[in-house]
Amino acid sequence: MAKVLLGFMGAGKSTIARGLDPNYLDMDAMIEKRLGMSIAEFFSENGEEAFRQIESEVLAELLQRDRVVSTGGGVVISQRNRDLLKTNTDNIYLKSDFETLYQRIAADKDNQRPLFLNNSKEELAAIFQERQAWYEEVASRVLDVTKLSPDEIIEELR
Ligand code: S3P
């Protein structure tokens, strides 16, 4: 069974996945490999809809693997993906508050997320709010990571 890490951008999904298993599978990295370009480039050339289509295909493949999986923050948007996720029983939602996440996203110059670049802070906060129920809907476990260090989170999830 896959151990799937879910959460908004900046929640630390990849960092925690790497700590749990150095051979973890990173959904965004797999998508970028398939696209042959960065997600930011693909978004600006082809739009979000096209990205979501490929994201869905990659999710279905990853759920077949018996590994730790780090997802992209928008994987829960579609009903199709939520239904796919519900077939897996180890889905961990790394929950945090918007302000903490926003500061991390804004500071992350190596990974300039298109949703950060294309939306105001207020718009991003609305996207965050809208997604809460979706993360909770598919999660088998919710962990509030706001006040935890990466080591503490990894320890908790081992
Ligand atoms: C997205 C989150 C990103 C990436 C893409 C869209 C989103 O992944 O998949 O930019 O819609 O929240 P991270 O959560 O790993 O930053």
Side-chain angles (χ1 to χ4, degrees):
M1 186 195 356
K3 188 191 263 301
V4 177
L5 301 185
L6 300 161
F8 203 66
M9 295 170 273
K13 302 178 293 284
S14 300
T15 306
I16 302 307
R18 189 177 303 111
L20 287 170
D21 176 3
N23 295 315
Y24 80 102
L25 301 172
D26 188 304
M27 199 173 152
D28 283 344
M30 281 184 67
I31 294 172
E32 289 192 328
K33 201 168 163 202
R34 192 161 298 193
L35 299 176
M37 65 179 91
S38 73
I39 290 172
E41 280 172 307
F42 189 80
F43 252 69
S44 60
E45 282 182 26
N46 303 282
E48 183 169 347
E49 270 308 305
F51 169 77
R52 297 296 173 199
Q53 181 66 40
I54 293 156
E55 185 180 46
S56 207
E57 289 165 19
V58 171
L59 173 67
E61 291 169 28
L62 285 175
L63 289 176
Q64 305 301 320
R65 310 281 298 273
D66 195 15
R67 296 274 282 278
V68 175
V69 175
S70 163
T71 60
V75 73
V76 294
I77 293 174
S78 74
Q79 182 70 53
R80 176 180 147 71
N81 285 2
R82 294 200 298 279
D83 288 343
L84 276 171
L85 283 162
K86 283 184 210 168
T87 65
N88 189 65
T89 52
D90 198 7
N91 298 325
I92 299 146
Y93 172 26
L94 303 180
K95 184 173 182 162
S96 193
D97 65 85
F98 178 72
E99 201 51 46
T100 303
L101 296 169
Y102 188 80
Q103 296 309 326
R104 286 198 203 141
I105 298 165
D108 193 349
K109 302 296 176 210
D110 295 335
N111 182 10
Q112 295 254 296
R113 279 103 166 167
L115 290 192
F116 170 72
L117 298 174
N118 300 339
N119 291 285
S120 66
K121 185 174 180 182
E122 289 67 31
E123 287 165 337
L124 206 58
I127 293 170
F128 170 80
Q129 278 309 330
E130 183 184 35
R131 290 181 181 176
Q132 291 312 303
W134 294 332
Y135 292 127
E136 308 248 358
E137 179 188 328
V138 299
S140 47
R141 183 165 175 194
V142 179
L143 184 64
D144 187 338
V145 298
T146 311
K147 294 189 168 60
L148 299 180
S149 69
D151 282 349
E152 288 170 326
I153 300 167
I154 291 160
E155 188 59 35
E156 186 69 32
L157 296 178
R158 266 199 214 283

